[in-house]
Structure formats: C-alpha cells, structure tokens
Amino acid sequence: MAAFPPVEGRDTRHSAPLRATFQPFWFVMMDITRFVVSQRDKALLIGDYGSYRKQLSRRLLVVRKKLNYSSKGRKYTPKAPVTAEDIANNHEFVHLLLLSAERAWALGMHMRSTHTADGSRGVTGSTKRHIASKLQRAIKYATHLVNLLQEKEKSGALSKSLLEARAYQQSLRGAFAFEKRHWEQCLRSYSEARLLYTALAQSAGTKQDDLFRDLLSSRIDQSIRYAAHQLQLPRTISIETIVARHVQRADNVYVSQVLQITPNLLQEPGTTAGKFATGKSEDVPKTIKWRSRTVELGDADTAQALASVAAAQARLESFLSADRNSNRRAGAAAYDDVLLPSQDAVDATKTAIDELTAEGVAQGDPRMQALQITRTAVNYNLVEWRVGRNRMLCGEHDGATFESETIGKPKKQRADGEPRVAQEESNGRRLTRLKERVALYDSTIQSLESVKDFPGVAADQAFVSELEAKKAYFSSLRWVVSSVRSGLELTTADVWQLLALTPCMFTVERATKLEIRPEQARFLNDILERSVLQYRALVELEDLNTAKSKETSNKPLPLIERLDEYPSNGVDLTNLVTYPPKVQPVPVKPIFLDVAWNYIDYPGRPKKGAGHAVDGKTKDEAPKPESKKEAKKGWFGFGRS
C-alpha cells in the first residue's frame, strides 16, 4: 500500500468508540463525484479559488467536530490516519479525505490564478514549485482514499465507488502533470479519468447526464485538447481517438474492469462513427454545406456535435410524426434535445477559431476560412431550431388564428345536482396568452436580425432578401396578434389604423422559400385582408352612430315646450311635439295655490263674513275694547303709581 498523509487535526489518543452509523455504500457511490462537483460549483459561482479554500476550511472544521477529530490545541502532534473500518462505520470519513484534497487543490489553483492575473511577472519558478507541491498533496489524499476503498471487505465499498475515487485521483494527476508541462503524462492521466467518467455516465442513466457532461466539458476535455496541441497532434483527431490511443491498458485493473462491462468503449472511431459520453455511436460528418459552398470540417469536436444534432433531429421528426396532436409545450420541449447539441457545435467552432487566432493564423488562411463558413452554418442552424421551437409554441398556422380556450368543467358536482357549465376564458387570461405570443414573435424577429451579423451574410444579397421576407412574415403575424390584443384594450379606430400598415410590409411572392410555404403566406395574407375590411366596417358603423347622436343632441326643443318664445323664423312643423312621448316629471300642484289659500274661496269652504276681507278682518267686525292692564305692585304689597 502506498504511503498516505495523515489527516490534519486528528487526536491520536482518542479511544472512545465512534458512533455506529454504518450506512449502505451505494450512497457513497454517487456521492464522491456529486460531492466534489457541487462543492466547486457553489463556491466558484459566487467567488474564486480563494473563497473556495476558505469555505473548505470551515467545512473541514465542522466534519472534524462531528467525527471527534479535533486536535484540542495540539497542532503538531502525530495524527492517526483514516482506516477502512472508519469508512465502514461512517461515510463522513470519505468527505473528510475529499475536503482535504480539495482544499490543497484550491490553494494551488488560487496561487496560479493570482499570478496569472498579474501580467508583469507571471508564474515564477518558486511559485510553480509551490503550486506543484499543493497539487501533489491533493493527489496523496486521493490516493489514500483509493487504497482504502480497495479493501472492499473492510470498507464495504462497491466497484463503482472505487471507479469514482480512481477517476478523481487521475484528474488530479492530470492537473499536476499539466502544471509540470509533462504533456504525455497529462494525456495518459486525463484519458483514464475521461474513460472512467464515461463508463460511470453510462451506468448512471439519463439523470446523471448533466453532471458528467459538465465535468468533462469544463476541465477534462479542454485539458486533453490543449495537451494534444502541445504534442502537435492534428485537430482532426477526435478526443475519443486521443483517449483510446493514450489510455494505459497494461497492468491497469480499473481499465480492465471497465472494458469487461463495455468492451467497445476504447475502440477508435473511424471515419463514419464515433463514440460519445452517452455511449451511442453516431455518424460523424466530414463536410458541411452552406449555401453554394461546401467545406471540410477541420475540427473534430464540431463534427461530433453536428452528428449529435443529426441524431437528435431524427428523434424529433419521429416524435412529431408519431403524435401530431401532441401538446404544444411537449413538442417545444422535444426541441430542447436538438438545441443543446446545436449550441455545442457553435461553442466548439468558436473555440477552434479562438485557438487558431491565438496561434497567429491569418484570416486568409484556408483553415480559418473553412472555420468561418462552418461558424456561419452552425449559427444559422441554431437560429432555425430556435425559430422552429417558437413556431411550435405559437400553435397552428404559426399563431395567425387566435381562438379562446374553454376552461374544463370542474370535477366536483354542484350542491343542487345541476350539471356544471364550462366557463369561457376571461379577458385577463386572453391578454396573458396574447402577450406571450407577441414575445415569441419578438424573439423570432430578433433571432433573424442577428443572422446578418454572421460572417459572409451581408455580402449575400439573395440571402439577405430571403431574411427580410421571413422577417416580414413574422412581423405580419405580430401585427395580427397585436390587433387582437388591442381589440381588448384600444378602440376600433386604433386597431384599424394598426392593421392598415401591415399589408404594406408583407407580400406573398417574397416569402416562398425554406420553411415558409406559399400556402402559409397566402393564408396569412387572407387573414390580414379580412381583418382590415372587418375593422374598417366597424369604424364606419361607429362613425354613423356618432354622427346620428350628434344630430340628435343639436336638435332644438319642440314647439310645445317653447310657447313663451315667438317663432320669428317660422314654425318647424316637423318639431311640434315629442313623439313618441317620453316620461317626464311634472309638479303635483302649482305653488301659487298654497300661497293664496287664505284669499280664495274654494268650493265647499264656509264663508266667515259678507264683507271683503281686509287684512284678515271683515268690515262688520267691531273693534274690541282693550282690557285694562293691572298695575304693578311693589315688593311689600302696596302699589306704586
């Protein structure tokens, strides 16, 4: 067994038995790779390698306290190593070794990134030795973990757990050789790590595809390609071929174990077939065609990505043909399987161009020209798939016909036993769907506009006119949907003015190429013409009603209501009375009757006197003598004159 470093912080005098928390090792099996990748992603997403190292130190302190590994002030005392029995009792010991290795690796990467950012001196000799020592220390921790997991009887480890630990160890060895500029050893270590991770990805299933794909693409594949470039290997050689040629097969138990399960994993891909991380063989194209030009694919990664696109396209076509009435969102989700490899092809082409530019290759070089044509082709292919996904979400006829959705009947019955009626879609829900569709059209138009920035597109006038026709088609669709949306928010006149501009932007004869068929263009043109005529008629009806209401409001009152006025200009015999008569309020009785109540003799009212009433009194009434006022008395009863 190889020598291993002691774990920092362990007390050698602890004799208390650890907690018997044995757990089945299948949990540790996938935990090694996921644990390392998740720790790196969380820290590097918000910080750098320095913050990652600090986070690992805090996590190590927590794990040591949990495992009773604190040194209690004795920093330089000898530390007891982790044993296989410790791993069998508690899988946190695996995390302890992984955290120790990751902290040493993070410190080395932090020193490297710090000195690389300083462009004055770069990485000096002493710094290189310090970085190499930290990586060597990380390798020792990983090697110790592999040696412990090899004792399957004591540790209870499974073969897949051992393969994960071995792949992690080889990735660290590849990083160490990369820093030491030992390119042959770097290729051997990274090739074995990629082989093991590929085998693990096949056995893990589709749920772990993203985990291993990100792990391979972020560091391992880039390092393999750079090391191959330093060894002056041609770029046309794929990574699978490099791995098959440089992996060490002799006296390698791990590679032999993988080949027993998947014997075809190390077969070198020929000119028509290649092996991918998903374990499926796919046809690899050798050339790519853009418009009238055909160029060879000088980059192997781009060719592999295009092969994946072709395979995903075949699966998408079979899915759509098998279920034509499928849900729009399910069909749009099927497009994602094509968009991912298409984006990989774009990224691979850009990486190849950047590498040639860094090497000082001129733009007029045939390799650079071929890559520029490839870049335009793969970028336009990606735009086409994005537009196709948007059209799938828009629905039938590219969303030209917008129909209200009927809300399904509730399953719960009413209390009175009456059947429930399906509710109609509310205006708020319709507006939400219309806004989503307008956003899809805007995204499509923006994608088509970005095509003009691709290399060689601006000089192709025929292709530019074709792009303008496609843009006009989707712009017309946007105007149609916007008119439906505006019909719920604006007036009819505003909608008509909105639609009146649309036919000027779009003609049937121009949009007759590629995915836009002539019948689709004619259908859209018919919808536009019908919509313009419909809203024009509605505006005319509104104008007639408005004019009629104005005439009614300006007509004078009938003659019967203006008897106090002399008709000096003659009498309008058509405006004598209001017909049909309208209900109008009238007073119950005149006000003057209440005022003259005491002055008018009403029938049946008795008369008070024969004379005329003057100031409320008759003439026959004699004035009454005034009563004598009583004299005032004083305080004590006697009067006072």
Side-chain angles (χ1 to χ4, degrees):
M1 183 182 298
F4 51 83
V7 179
E8 298 178 1
R10 175 155 184 183
D11 190 357
T12 57
R13 299 182 299 175
H14 78 282
S15 57
L18 297 173
R19 291 183 299 173
T21 57
F22 178 80
Q23 298 187 13
F25 206 78
W26 58 265
F27 179 81
V28 185
M29 177 185 67
M30 294 306 299
D31 187 62
I32 293 178
T33 304
R34 181 174 293 279
F35 180 80
V36 173
V37 174
S38 62
Q39 291 291 325
R40 292 183 182 180
D41 291 344
K42 289 178 182 178
L44 299 180
L45 183 63
I46 59 176
D48 54 0
Y49 293 106
S51 60
Y52 182 37
R53 177 179 174 273
K54 294 178 182 179
Q55 179 181 346
L56 291 171
S57 299
R58 292 191 296 267
R59 183 70 184 275
L60 267 174
L61 182 61
V62 174
V63 174
R64 287 169 187 165
K65 289 182 178 179
K66 184 186 297 186
L67 298 175
N68 196 17
Y69 263 53
S70 58
S71 58
K72 298 180 182 180
R74 296 176 295 275
K75 182 176 181 181
Y76 298 103
T77 56
K79 311 300 188 300
V82 178
T83 61
E85 290 79 4
D86 294 335
I87 294 178
N89 291 331
N90 195 336
H91 65 270
E92 288 290 338
F93 286 97
V94 177
H95 294 173
L96 183 66
L97 293 172
L98 290 175
L99 289 172
S100 301
E102 280 292 292
R103 188 173 69 164
W105 175 83
L107 179 57
M109 293 296 103
H110 174 63
M111 296 173 61
R112 184 173 182 271
S113 61
T114 302
H115 287 77
T116 303
D118 185 9
S120 59
R121 294 184 302 169
V123 182
T124 59
S126 59
T127 306
K128 288 182 179 179
R129 290 191 295 271
H130 197 180
I131 295 174
S133 66
K134 294 303 176 182
L135 294 177
Q136 185 67 28
R137 187 173 185 82
I139 293 173
K140 289 181 180 179
Y141 283 116
T143 304
H144 179 36
L145 178 61
V146 172
N147 294 334
L148 293 179
L149 296 183
Q150 284 179 347
E151 303 177 9
K152 298 181 180 180
E153 295 79 7
K154 296 181 180 180
S155 62
L158 297 179
S159 299
K160 291 185 178 180
S161 307
L162 184 58
L163 289 179
E164 283 193 83
R166 175 68 177 184
Y168 176 67
Q169 176 200 22
Q170 289 301 108
S171 64
L172 292 178
R173 285 183 174 175
F176 175 76
F178 191 94
E179 293 297 329
K180 299 290 288 184
R181 306 277 181 181
H182 299 164
W183 304 118
E184 191 68 32
Q185 179 63 34
C186 178
L187 273 182
R188 285 198 296 267
S189 299
Y190 274 127
S191 296
E192 183 177 348
R194 193 184 193 281
L195 175 68
L196 296 179
Y197 280 129
T198 303
L200 290 170
Q202 295 180 20
S203 62
T206 57
K207 294 182 179 180
Q208 304 293 335
D209 281 347
D210 295 338
L211 174 67
F212 289 100
R213 183 186 294 112
D214 295 341
L215 180 62
L216 293 177
S217 61
S218 61
R219 180 166 294 274
I220 295 180
D221 287 352
Q222 296 180 6
S223 301
I224 290 176
R225 181 62 68 184
Y226 187 81
H229 172 70
Q230 294 296 328
L231 292 175
Q232 298 181 356
L233 297 179
R235 288 190 54 84
T236 54
I237 300 178
S238 63
I239 294 181
E240 284 72 22
T241 303
I242 297 174
V243 170
R245 293 179 182 179
H246 291 82
V247 70
Q248 184 179 357
R249 309 187 190 187
D251 300 333
N252 196 327
V253 181
Y254 308 99
V255 175
S256 302
Q257 184 179 357
V258 169
L259 292 179
Q260 289 178 0
I261 302 174
T262 53
N264 297 328
L265 197 59
L266 278 183
Q267 288 184 355
E268 293 188 17
T271 57
T272 59
K275 187 69 64 175
F276 294 87
T278 56
K280 299 179 181 179
S281 297
E282 304 174 8
D283 294 335
V284 179
K286 300 167 66 175
T287 59
I288 187 171
K289 184 178 180 180
W290 169 248
R291 306 289 287 173
S292 60
R293 300 191 61 178
T294 302
V295 296
E296 294 184 358
L297 291 173
D299 185 68
D301 295 338
T302 305
Q304 293 173 6
L306 290 176
S308 301
V309 171
Q313 180 180 354
R315 292 192 296 268
L316 175 62
E317 292 175 354
S318 62
F319 172 77
L320 296 179
S321 60
D323 191 5
R324 294 183 178 273
N325 297 325
S326 60
N327 188 11
R328 288 181 299 175
R329 297 193 179 277
Y335 274 83
D336 294 338
D337 296 335
V338 186
L339 289 172
L340 288 176
S342 299
Q343 186 63 50
D344 293 340
V346 172
D347 296 340
T349 307
K350 184 178 182 302
T351 303
I353 293 175
D354 293 341
E355 291 178 355
L356 288 182
T357 304
E359 295 175 7
V361 179
Q363 293 293 328
D365 190 270
R367 294 177 296 169
M368 184 67 75
Q369 291 293 319
L371 284 176
Q372 293 290 353
I373 295 174
T374 304
R375 179 184 178 184
T376 302
V378 296
N379 276 280
Y380 184 71
N381 188 25
L382 178 62
V383 168
E384 282 186 328
W385 287 117
R386 286 177 179 172
V387 172
R389 183 180 182 275
N390 292 343
R391 296 178 71 180
M392 173 62 69
L393 288 173
C394 289
E396 191 177 2
H397 300 296
D398 293 332
T401 56
F402 185 82
E403 298 178 356
S404 300
E405 295 181 352
T406 303
I407 302 176
K409 298 180 180 180
K411 296 181 180 179
K412 187 177 180 180
Q413 297 183 355
R414 293 176 54 177
D416 54 0
E418 295 292 332
R420 291 185 179 271
V421 182
Q423 300 178 359
E424 295 184 358
E425 188 179 18
S426 62
N427 286 341
R429 184 178 176 86
R430 293 185 65 191
L431 283 173
T432 302
R433 293 199 299 120
L434 287 169
K435 289 178 182 179
E436 292 177 355
R437 191 164 296 183
V438 170
L440 290 174
Y441 292 138
D442 289 338
S443 175
T444 300
I445 295 171
Q446 184 179 1
S447 299
L448 292 176
E449 188 68 26
S450 65
V451 176
K452 297 180 181 179
D453 298 332
F454 297 161
V457 172
D460 193 346
Q461 295 298 328
F463 184 65
V464 171
S465 62
E466 182 181 338
L467 287 177
E468 292 295 333
K470 293 179 182 179
K471 236 177 81 177
Y473 175 78
F474 289 104
S475 298
S476 303
L477 286 171
R478 186 187 184 281
W479 283 89
V480 171
V481 176
S482 298
S483 66
V484 179
R485 173 187 170 186
S486 302
L488 302 176
E489 297 177 335
L490 304 178
T491 62
T492 308
D494 294 335
V495 178
W496 177 54
Q497 293 177 3
L498 188 69
L499 282 170
L501 300 175
T502 309
C504 301
M505 305 169 50
F506 175 71
T507 55
V508 178
E509 290 79 13
R510 294 180 63 189
T512 56
K513 294 182 179 180
L514 294 181
E515 70 275 2
I516 302 177
R517 298 187 298 273
E519 54 269 19
Q520 291 177 323
R522 297 190 188 97
F523 181 80
L524 177 59
N525 198 17
D526 293 341
I527 288 180
L528 289 172
E529 291 178 354
R530 289 198 301 267
S531 299
V532 171
L533 292 176
Q534 176 187 0
Y535 280 96
R536 182 182 296 169
L538 291 175
V539 170
E540 289 292 337
L541 290 175
E542 287 187 357
D543 292 342
L544 291 176
N545 293 333
T546 304
K548 186 176 181 181
S549 62
K550 288 182 179 180
E551 291 178 359
T552 305
S553 61
N554 296 331
K555 191 174 183 180
L557 293 174
L559 181 62
I560 195 172
E561 301 290 341
R562 296 181 288 110
L563 294 178
D564 57 333
E565 298 178 3
Y566 180 78
S568 58
N569 297 328
V571 178
D572 186 6
L573 299 179
T574 62
N575 193 20
L576 296 177
V577 294
T578 302
Y579 187 84
K582 299 180 181 179
V583 179
Q584 295 179 352
V586 296
V588 177
K589 56 184 178 179
I591 299 177
F592 72 88
L593 293 178
D594 294 337
V595 175
W597 173 263
N598 297 326
Y599 299 91
I600 299 175
D601 292 335
Y602 292 95
R605 179 182 178 186
K607 297 181 179 180
K608 293 182 179 180
H612 295 286
V614 178
D615 296 334
K617 299 178 182 180
T618 60
K619 294 182 179 179
D620 298 336
E621 290 184 6
K624 295 181 180 180
E626 296 181 359
S627 59
K628 187 178 180 179
K629 296 182 180 180
E630 185 178 359
K632 295 182 180 181
K633 296 182 180 182
W635 288 358
F636 302 101
F638 42 86
R640 187 173 56 175
S641 58

